Amino acid sequence: MAHVPTQVRSEQFIEAAVRIIAEQGVPRATTRRIAEAANAPLASLHYCFRDKDGLFLAVFQHLADEAASTFASLEPAELEVTVARLVEFMGRWVVEHPDYALAQLDLYLWMARHRPALAAESAEVYLGAVADVLQRSAGPSVPADRIKGLASVLAGVADGLVVQRAALRDQAHVDAYVAAFLAGVPGLCARARGEESASDAS
């Protein structure tokens, strides 16, 4: 069997884990099944990752990096514009990558139940990527804790999109969900800046 570089083999295991988790759920994503799906020896998996937790964290990191790479490519704009672009991207992503989206959510819920420390570490990875984009748009005048709060709201929107897409398989429903959230973006951004929104004033 030809030698496969460790980095390449690791990526194969991560992709295989995503497929197994999306199709069968985290409990059935054993290292043996993942190795078989990657068409690789089980010993190679244990060489690439310290244990299954290490593999699962790498999977979550990979999925977060996929999103973060798109986030990072967004041109700086007003906070409202950036938030709208992020939400629109999330809506497209769950439709175009349903396996990735479902695997990410399923994996996070499993970690929250069984590996809470790992879940917290994984959440910080995703929130950090979103917060970085928002902070660039908001500028230094908006405190980091408010930006992180806004990032948490957007993470909740992403989770809701994944669940509704998985349950209903209806792009029109996803589009309506996105449109409804976008209507509230100005108020969310005003609160992040510490401003009084029009609805608060009334």
Side-chain angles (χ1 to χ4, degrees):
M1 181 180 293
H3 172 72
V4 178
T6 301
Q7 181 61 37
V8 174
R9 184 66 85 192
S10 296
E11 291 170 359
Q12 291 172 346
F13 286 133
I14 288 171
E15 291 291 342
V18 168
R19 294 196 303 273
I20 295 291
I21 292 170
E23 293 168 5
Q24 303 181 39
V26 174
R28 294 186 61 81
T30 63
T31 53
R32 187 173 301 278
R33 283 195 177 95
I34 292 168
E36 290 173 355
N39 195 27
L42 181 60
S44 294
L45 189 151
H46 292 298
Y47 178 80
C48 293
F49 302 97
R50 67 181 187 273
D51 52 26
K52 191 161 74 169
D53 283 1
L55 171 59
F56 283 175
L57 182 58
V59 169
F60 197 92
Q61 176 76 62
H62 170 73
L63 295 172
D65 286 347
E66 288 283 316
S69 64
T70 300
F71 297 164
S73 68
L74 291 174
E75 292 294 328
E78 290 184 357
L79 185 58
E80 287 83 354
V81 174
T82 297
V83 170
R85 287 175 179 170
L86 286 172
V87 174
E88 289 166 349
F89 163 76
M90 292 170 182
R92 290 194 304 272
W93 193 77
V94 300
V95 170
E96 295 170 2
H97 305 282
D99 287 352
Y100 270 40
L102 191 58
Q104 186 176 34
L105 181 59
D106 194 24
L107 180 56
Y108 183 76
L109 292 175
W110 180 88
M111 289 191 294
R113 287 191 297 268
H114 302 285
R115 303 285 192 278
L118 191 61
E121 184 178 351
S122 300
E124 286 299 320
V125 169
Y126 186 81
L127 287 177
V130 177
D132 284 347
V133 178
L134 297 177
Q135 193 73 68
R136 290 203 308 270
S137 293
S141 61
V142 180
D145 61 329
R146 288 184 181 173
I147 289 297
K148 189 171 183 179
L150 182 55
S152 295
V153 171
L154 296 186
V157 171
D159 293 342
L161 284 167
V162 173
V163 171
Q164 297 202 36
R165 166 63 179 171
L168 302 174
R169 310 280 176 170
D170 181 8
Q171 182 168 347
H173 189 84
V174 170
D175 292 342
Y177 185 103
V178 169
F181 184 83
L182 291 179
V185 165
L188 282 172
C189 293
R191 287 183 176 86
R193 295 192 193 94
E195 301 169 354
E196 185 179 16
S197 68
S199 59
D200 290 337
S202 61

